[in-house]
Amino acid sequence: MTQDLFRELPPELTLENLVEGAVVLRQFAVSEAEQLLTDIQQVSAKAPFRHMKTPGGHTMSVAMSCCGDQGWVTDSRGYRYQPEDPVSGLPWPTMPESLRTLAMKAADAAGFVGFDPDACLINRYPPGAKMGLHQDRDEQDFSHPIVSVSLGLPVVFQFGGLKRNERPLRVPLAHGDVVVWGGPARLRYHGVLTLKAGTHALTGDYRYNLTFRRAC
Ligand code: MD3
Ligand code: FE
C-alpha cells in the first residue's frame, strides 16, 4: 500500500551500497544533465558516434565516442586505449570540465577521494541495443574506480560476480543515476539488458552512458 503511494513520486537523491565497492548515487547528475548533454554533443561533433567492431567481427549495437587523453577502441586487433580517434587520426576531444568535475565529485561522495580520470567513454543506446556481460580490464591499474553516469531512457543493468557464471543482480538505472565501481567490485562482470523504446524529454529515443576511467 505504502509502495503504491510512493511509486509515482520522483526518485530522491540517495547513496546506497549495492555490494562492497559499488555505490549507487541516485539522481546525482540530474541538475547538471542539460550541461552534460550539451557537452556530449560538442564532443561528438569532433569524434562522431560510431558502431565499432569487436575482435570477433561483430558490430556493436551501442554507438560510442570518447573524450580525454585516452579513448577506448575495439577492432580486429583487439580492445585497447589509445590517444587518437582512429576515424579522424586526431587526438580525442578534451574532456569537458562539466564531465570531469561531476566524475570527481561522484568518486569523492563514494569514498574514492582523488579520482583523476584520463578517459571518458560515451555510449549511446538506441532502442534494441544491449551490452553483454563483460569485465572492464583494459585499464592499467584496477585500484582506480570507474564512475558511470546514466542519461535519458532507463535501462536494467546486470551486475554479476568475478566469474562469468555467477548469476547477475538486476539494477534499474534511470536518468541522472551515477554509480561508482571500485575496490572489490572493480572487476565484476556487468552488462545492460536490451533498451526498450521510449521518449525522454532531454535525449529523445536514446540512453547515454558516460564511463570515466583511469586508463594509464
Ligand atoms: C561494474 N557500460 O562501457 S556502466 C562499459 O551502461 C559499460 O553503458 C555500461 O559497461 C553502460 O564498459 C555499464 C556501469 C559499469 C561500468 C563499469 C564497471 C559497471 C561496472 C566496472 C566494473 C564493475
Ligand atoms: Fe563495462
Side-chain angles (χ1 to χ4, degrees):
M1 210 161 71
T2 328
Q3 251 195 339
D4 286 334
L5 278 170
F6 287 99
R7 182 144 50 211
E8 304 301 326
L9 294 178
E12 292 171 89
L13 250 176
T14 61
L15 190 152
E16 102 199 41
N17 256 76
L18 213 51
V19 297
E20 205 193 332
V23 182
V24 186
L25 305 159
R26 296 275 176 208
Q27 305 293 292
F28 193 81
V30 167
S31 62
E32 288 141 90
E34 275 111 324
Q35 183 67 52
L36 298 174
L37 288 162
T38 300
D39 288 338
I40 291 169
Q41 293 314 321
Q42 298 283 326
V43 166
S44 69
K46 296 180 185 145
F49 285 103
R50 78 291 306 264
H51 293 270
M52 292 195 267
K53 271 196 180 171
T54 66
H58 297 283
T59 300
M60 297 185 77
S61 59
V62 178
M64 295 175 166
S65 179
C66 297
C67 59
D69 293 339
Q70 300 287 330
W72 185 84
V73 298
T74 171
D75 59 20
S76 58
R77 291 159 49 206
Y79 305 120
R80 64 190 175 278
Y81 285 92
Q82 61 175 55
E84 326 69 35
D85 177 351
V87 173
S88 66
L90 297 171
W92 294 104
T94 304
M95 196 184 300
E97 208 45 53
S98 68
L99 272 64
R100 156 178 226 86
T101 306
L102 173 69
M104 294 174 44
K105 272 197 311 186
D108 270 5
F112 297 93
V113 177
F115 180 52
D116 183 16
D118 60 2
C120 175
L121 174 61
I122 309 171
N123 294 332
R124 187 181 71 186
Y125 292 74
K130 61 179 163 50
M131 192 177 284
L133 276 184
H134 66 278
Q135 290 174 301
D136 289 14
R137 52 175 185 203
D138 301 318
E139 300 76 26
Q140 249 166 36
D141 179 350
F142 302 137
S143 71
H144 298 292
I146 291 183
V147 174
S148 91
V149 180
S150 292
L151 296 170
L153 291 179
V155 80
V156 177
F157 177 76
Q158 289 188 297
F159 192 41
L162 295 175
K163 296 208 165 91
R164 188 187 292 278
N165 62 10
E166 264 184 68
R167 179 208 288 266
L169 294 172
R170 290 183 170 195
V171 184
L173 290 179
H175 176 73
D177 289 349
V178 176
V179 193
V180 182
W181 321 86
R186 177 62 181 75
L187 286 173
R188 281 185 179 249
Y189 276 88
H190 58 277
V192 169
L193 297 184
T194 306
L195 190 86
K196 291 195 175 138
T199 307
H200 188 277
L202 297 181
T203 66
D205 57 0
Y206 290 121
R207 167 179 187 259
Y208 292 90
N209 181 265
L210 306 170
T211 45
F212 296 91
R213 298 123 186 279
R214 183 84 211 173
C216 27

